[in-house]
Amino acid sequence: TSSDSVVTLLDYGAGNVRSVRNAIRHLGFGIKDVQTPEDILNANRLIFPGVGAFAAAMDVLNKTGMAEALCAYIEKDRPFLGICLGLQLLFQSSEENGPVNGLGLIPGVVGRFDSSNGFRVPQIGWNALQITKDSEILDDVGDHHVYFVHSYRAMPSDDNKEWVSSTCNYGDNFIASVRRGNVHAVQFHPEKSGDVGLSVLRRFLHPKTNIPKKPTEGKALKLAKRVIACLDVRANDKGDLVVTKGDQYDVREHTKENEVRNLGKPVELARQYYKEGADEISFLNITGFRDFPLGDLPMLQVLRLTSENVFVPLTVGGGIRDFTDANGRHYSSLEVASEYFRSGADKISIGSDAVYAAEDYLKTGVKTGKSSLEQISRVYGNQAVVVSIDPRRVYITHPNDVEFKAVRVTDLGPNGEEYAWYQCTVNGGREGRPIGAYELAKAVEDLGAGEILLNCIDCDGQGKGFDMDLIKLISDAVSIPVIASSGAGAVEHFSDVFRKTNASAALAAGIFHRKEVPIQSVKEHLYKEGIEVRI
Ligand code: 1PR
């Protein structure tokens, strides 16, 4: 490789930059990792994908002498691309666990989004840019959505207007990208923004080639509702990892052999859904509660292979908890999660273990900081931690019959009951717990969850639509994003859930696997209905 086709990457080891690496390689470039400050000064082209928390990142940069080298490199107008925290660190300071000083190259303070005006924090999802000056690398973005995931943002002002190249609206009008000469930085994730994102990286890597602009259909205006494809994964009886799908969580065929239903191969299906326009892919290792996930190397391999050419966010769940193996070796849930992140996951999802953590928290009122949820969100940020809830509907005649939050149901119960509460379960729906979905959702938000994946055992695989009563209850109760799941059977179910509830995303499995309703049709339907989606 000639030095022209090598890009220098500043990875200080705080999180998953695997997807940035994969995207660079996908575009035909080699990678040289920064080991010393001199590597920064000698770079031809430098990419800085900031991950983790602002203070921790500045600490590393200061201690290693990289902060000084970065400032010198940027002051010399050398080709630079900062991503996410890699944009924020260019500013004077941040309020994240602070105030903490940044590199001080751009005037302004990075502050937290205000959730009091009804916007959910973190901002997770595909949003639109207002391009304020020519930035070259954004030439293909135009009217398309790009993927953001963050709780902090920098604001445009008179002092930094010479830098700002685009803004984005999410309650506030915040800085989405900056550019001065050869120095670029973006708040969104080009490596997770599909084809449009890859073109941002391509234009940075090949600045002088005249790549024609891509035509755009539709116009991105605001945060889009996400459509997520979910792959429930487990080993079948032969030991092969397959995508399966249950009816109310029962994944076995009702035949004499009683085999695990096999709907395809995880890596292939994920790729296909990415190409068809899925905004995100989730893998749920549905037997992770009993099999230790790090013993389950195939799942890590699935993530590694998928992230090589799927450039939208990947979530993985199943079995994230502390574990002691047969040899007495103890693994913390944080180690398990770290292994998932290193293998290409952007978010991890916790089911059973979050239920136990919430039960303890509600009992004692004390945040111990020791639960998986708390530990992982402290290290990787709230936006990286999803809590998956698996509730089952329990009908009651009167809301005061239980100590948990009940709702008046749209469809009466089998004995004419007018109310129901939603009982949380663990171990793939096998065991009911003394906590409701409402109580759980509020508790895990307190404990640091950044998003909720809301399933419903009654609706799973039924194709009769989402449980609106449940989704409304939960999406109104918390201020983090809620993903509606279970029961999608037709495109109208998606428009329904977005009209009638405050869900930020809708997830489906069966209809995609059985090719009954392609993702593209869901998107087209939502678009026609005037619901903002990424086309
Ligand atoms: O408890 O941390 O080990 O996590 C286990 C994870 O596996 C949880 O997220 C739990 O939801 C999931 N899980 C466990 N057992 C099953 C099962 O089906 N037997 N799958 C299971 C749950 C529901 C969704 C499904 C939607 C949409 N999955 O994944 O994809 O209901 O389906 P549909 O569109 O076909 O209706 P832990």
Side-chain angles (χ1 to χ4, degrees):
T1 22
S2 81
S3 65
D4 280 357
S5 56
V6 173
V7 55
T8 304
L9 188 75
L10 174 50
D11 170 6
Y12 49 88
N16 168 27
V17 301
R18 190 181 191 97
S19 15
V20 177
R21 289 178 188 278
N22 284 334
I24 295 170
R25 291 203 187 98
H26 183 84
L27 295 169
F29 278 72
I31 294 168
K32 177 173 173 24
D33 276 291
V34 170
Q35 313 281 354
T36 64
E38 287 67 43
D39 293 335
I40 294 179
L41 298 170
N42 295 332
N44 279 334
R45 213 151 268 290
L46 179 68
I47 296 188
F48 181 26
V51 282
F54 192 101
M58 273 316 295
D59 222 36
V60 176
L61 295 180
N62 283 327
K63 281 201 185 114
T64 53
M66 306 246 184
E68 213 179 309
L70 268 175
C71 289
Y73 181 86
I74 290 171
E75 290 297 358
K76 274 197 247 154
D77 194 30
R78 306 283 304 136
F80 173 87
L81 175 64
I83 299 174
C84 195
L85 189 64
L87 171 140
Q88 298 182 3
L89 291 166
L90 303 180
F91 284 79
Q92 280 166 326
S93 67
S94 170
E95 288 167 3
E96 183 177 0
N97 305 325
V100 183
N101 284 337
L103 295 171
L105 297 162
I106 307 179
V109 176
V110 178
R112 195 177 158 84
F113 277 119
D114 181 4
S115 63
S116 64
N117 51 13
F119 285 83
R120 286 163 200 266
V121 182
Q123 167 174 231
I124 299 182
W126 301 78
N127 209 332
L129 303 186
Q130 289 85 44
I131 306 222
T132 53
K133 81 168 184 210
D134 184 23
S135 59
E136 289 171 47
I137 64 165
L138 302 183
D139 276 359
D140 296 317
V141 175
D143 292 334
H144 294 282
H145 291 94
V146 287
Y147 185 76
F148 288 89
V149 43
H150 58 136
S151 299
Y152 291 82
R153 82 284 180 262
M155 305 287 276
S157 71
D158 273 352
D159 297 333
N160 58 33
K161 65 172 181 258
E162 58 152 331
W163 279 93
V164 179
S165 56
S166 71
T167 60
C168 173
N169 195 282
Y170 191 67
D172 305 318
N173 214 34
F174 68 89
I175 297 177
S177 66
V178 294
R179 188 252 171 118
R180 197 176 74 183
N182 292 314
V183 176
H184 302 265
V186 292
Q187 177 62 65
F188 58 90
H189 287 268
E191 78 283 10
K192 287 286 147 189
S193 296
D195 278 348
V196 172
L198 290 176
S199 81
V200 172
L201 290 170
R202 192 181 292 115
R203 285 184 187 277
F204 172 72
L205 296 169
H206 300 278
K208 284 177 197 89
T209 42
N210 266 331
I211 312 164
K213 282 196 190 192
K214 279 196 187 145
T216 317
E217 7 164 346
K219 178 157 178 54
L221 296 171
K222 58 180 183 188
L223 188 73
K225 297 291 186 181
R226 286 171 280 153
V227 176
I228 301 176
C230 181
L231 289 78
D232 288 355
V233 177
R234 60 163 286 170
N236 64 11
D237 301 322
K238 288 192 221 111
D240 304 324
L241 210 57
V242 297
V243 174
T244 189
K245 183 65 210 79
D247 277 323
Q248 301 183 323
Y249 285 35
D250 176 5
V251 299
R252 294 202 173 258
E253 301 280 11
H254 291 246
T255 56
K256 217 169 68 225
E257 288 75 26
N258 213 232
E259 65 271 34
V260 171
R261 217 176 268 154
N262 180 349
L263 291 162
K265 296 190 176 144
V267 179
E268 283 170 22
L269 273 184
R271 266 182 211 163
Q272 181 191 326
Y273 295 149
Y274 166 63
K275 288 203 186 115
E276 290 173 6
D279 296 319
E280 227 171 285
I281 313 273
S282 292
F283 294 103
L284 295 177
N285 185 347
I286 67 169
T287 48
F289 70 90
R290 61 170 185 239
D291 308 327
F292 178 50
L294 296 190
D296 194 358
L297 296 170
M299 193 64 186
L300 297 174
Q301 190 64 3
V302 163
L303 277 172
R304 289 189 196 114
L305 292 174
T306 304
S307 62
E308 275 175 20
N309 34 29
V310 171
F311 298 106
V312 292
L314 301 176
T315 302
V316 64
I320 295 178
R321 70 203 142 105
D322 294 345
F323 190 86
T324 305
D325 71 11
N327 304 322
R329 159 89 156 87
H330 179 78
Y331 297 85
S332 71
S333 57
L334 184 60
E335 285 175 80
V336 179
S338 299
E339 199 51 43
Y340 275 149
F341 287 127
R342 272 197 290 277
S343 304
D346 299 286
K347 304 188 248 185
I348 55 89
S349 151
I350 308 177
S352 308
D353 206 54
V355 177
Y356 302 127
E359 285 181 24
D360 284 347
Y361 173 55
L362 291 178
K363 220 173 284 159
T364 61
V366 178
K367 293 185 201 170
T368 62
K370 292 199 178 117
S371 64
S372 323
L373 175 51
E374 292 163 285
Q375 290 188 42
I376 300 167
S377 68
R378 192 164 52 239
V379 175
Y380 290 95
N382 305 31
Q383 81 294 333
V385 183
V386 183
V387 166
S388 164
I389 312 187
D390 300 305
R392 182 175 274 125
R393 204 184 299 136
V394 185
Y395 290 103
I396 47 179
T397 38
H398 195 274
N400 296 343
D401 288 354
V402 284
E403 55 182 303
F404 310 105
K405 178 95 169 173
V407 290
R408 188 184 265 279
V409 287
T410 315
D411 298 316
L412 301 188
N415 303 307
E417 296 93 337
E418 288 180 17
Y419 292 89
W421 71 287
Y422 289 90
Q423 182 180 23
C424 292
T425 65
V426 293
N427 301 348
R430 287 167 181 81
E431 183 193 338
R433 299 293 306 178
I435 182 169
Y438 175 89
E439 290 76 20
L440 181 80
K442 295 189 76 82
V444 298
E445 178 177 31
D446 267 8
L447 292 173
E451 191 168 43
I452 286 174
L453 164 52
L454 185 57
N455 302 290
C456 176
I457 298 180
D458 308 79
C459 296
D460 173 56
Q462 305 306 295
K464 293 186 191 135
F466 297 98
D467 188 321
M468 298 294 172
D469 299 327
L470 171 66
I471 296 162
K472 205 172 166 341
L473 174 72
I474 303 301
S475 63
D476 288 343
V478 294
S479 66
I480 51 179
V482 172
I483 303 168
S485 163
S486 304
V491 293
E492 291 77 16
H493 295 151
F494 290 84
S495 42
D496 255 20
V497 79
F498 290 136
R499 280 252 161 69
K500 296 183 186 154
T501 78
N502 285 313
S504 301
L507 170 151
I511 50 168
F512 299 149
H513 304 335
R514 292 186 304 266
K515 303 191 172 37
E516 288 163 10
V517 181
I519 294 172
Q520 200 54 39
S521 313
V522 176
K523 293 285 191 80
E524 280 163 16
H525 169 76
L526 292 171
Y527 183 70
K528 268 194 225 119
E529 292 289 305
I531 294 167
E532 183 93 1
V533 281
R534 176 178 76 108
I535 300 285

